[in-house]
Amino acid sequence: MLLARGFKPIFLMNDRATKNSSLSLPLLFVRNLWSMATGTLALMILFNAIGVLRAGDRIVAQVRDFFSAPPPQPQVEPSNLIVHQVRSASELTTAVFAMEAVVPTHKDRTLGKLVVGKTSLLYTAYGEVRAGVDLSQFTASNLRTENNTLYVQLPAPKILDSKIDVNRSEVYNYNRGFLNLGPDAAAELQTLAQRETLDKIVKNACTQGVLDDANERAELVVTKILSTAGYSDVRVQTTPPDLQACQAASVGV
């Protein structure tokens, strides 16, 4: 009985320990599962945070590159480059016609219908006429490319300028007639002589083909410039001159 009494509490304690151990196993499993879930969730949050940070860095870098990108380089259209090159040759296409002429002028002094005196002036003048193609009017519409050939259509030639070289011109003779009864009109007669001389020089320049010379020079110069610039096959087409417009250029000189 003493032994039985002595062992009974021990038996009861072991039974309770077994019950406590059996109860703690599920609890331990739940705790471990919760710890694993919590750790997994923490890792997912961490990875997402890292991904967001990396994405943010990329966005920041893209924004920085966008605002710090160098400005684009200006591009030159080939047609605009050709137009500039052709226009630069304007002075080289000028044809000059020079002529010396002797022009007599006179003015009468009258009394009613009676001429009582006459003043004569003989003027020797040297004049020049400049003709050419006004390449400032040249635009991209004057260009055409076909089968690797560059076609250039030039504007029509025209009279650009005409003038009397006063340093090489002079009054050859001035005479107011008998007893100087003619009017004193030296300045008036000289201006008239210069105008008549210039008109004669322009008409002679037109009839002797100064506009054709300007066309030939323009064709030669423009072809040379574009060929030097690297265009291997260049065809320059000129516009026939208007002779009537050339003659009209002398009016109002």
Side-chain angles (χ1 to χ4, degrees):
M1 293 297 294
L2 292 175
L3 292 174
R5 291 178 179 176
F7 281 99
K8 189 176 182 178
I10 296 174
F11 178 78
L12 292 175
M13 289 177 60
N14 290 336
D15 185 51
R16 290 178 180 174
T18 302
K19 289 182 179 181
N20 291 335
S21 177
S22 62
L23 292 175
S24 63
L25 288 176
L27 182 59
L28 181 61
F29 175 76
V30 171
R31 287 180 179 178
N32 291 336
L33 183 61
W34 174 256
S35 298
M36 292 174 61
T38 304
T40 303
L41 181 61
L43 288 175
M44 293 176 62
I45 294 174
L46 179 61
F47 289 151
N48 288 333
I50 293 174
V52 170
L53 290 176
R54 289 181 177 178
D57 291 339
R58 287 196 299 270
I59 294 174
V60 171
Q62 292 175 356
V63 172
R64 182 175 61 251
D65 294 340
F66 176 80
F67 286 103
S68 62
Q73 296 296 323
Q75 302 294 324
V76 179
E77 292 292 335
S79 59
N80 293 337
L81 181 60
I82 296 174
V83 169
H84 176 73
Q85 290 172 332
V86 171
R87 285 180 177 177
S88 65
S90 184
E91 289 297 325
L92 301 177
T93 64
T94 303
V96 179
F97 177 86
M99 176 179 170
E100 189 173 22
V102 178
V103 178
T105 59
H106 71 276
K107 184 176 184 179
D108 298 332
R109 184 189 295 276
T110 60
L111 185 60
K113 294 183 179 181
L114 180 64
V115 177
V116 297
K118 180 179 182 178
T119 299
S120 300
L121 183 144
L122 191 63
Y123 191 73
T124 303
Y126 180 88
E128 289 184 352
V129 176
R130 295 171 61 251
V133 177
D134 186 4
L135 295 179
S136 64
Q137 301 176 359
F138 189 83
T139 64
S141 62
N142 298 106
L143 299 173
R144 179 171 58 90
T145 303
E146 183 177 337
N147 297 328
N148 296 324
T149 300
L150 176 63
Y151 291 91
V152 181
Q153 181 67 52
L154 297 181
K158 63 181 182 179
I159 300 298
L160 300 177
D161 184 26
S162 57
K163 63 181 179 179
I164 294 293
D165 188 348
V166 295
N167 294 324
R168 302 174 64 177
S169 305
E170 62 179 353
V171 176
Y172 183 75
N173 184 49
Y174 179 68
N175 186 1
R176 294 181 62 187
F178 180 69
L179 297 177
N180 286 333
L181 292 177
D184 187 8
E188 180 183 354
L189 291 177
Q190 182 174 342
T191 300
L192 177 62
Q194 290 175 342
R195 185 164 59 247
E196 292 293 331
T197 301
L198 203 53
D199 183 73
K200 179 184 290 188
I201 292 174
V202 171
K203 288 181 178 179
N204 276 275
C206 293
T207 57
Q208 295 190 29
V210 68
L211 296 183
D212 292 326
D213 292 342
N215 256 349
E216 292 177 2
R217 289 180 61 86
E219 181 180 0
L220 179 64
V221 170
V222 173
T223 302
K224 181 66 174 179
I225 288 177
L226 295 181
S227 298
T228 304
Y231 300 95
S232 57
D233 192 2
V234 179
R235 307 289 177 86
V236 178
Q237 301 170 329
T238 59
T239 302
D242 187 348
L243 186 58
Q244 292 182 350
C246 184
Q247 297 283 359
S250 63
V251 178
V253 171

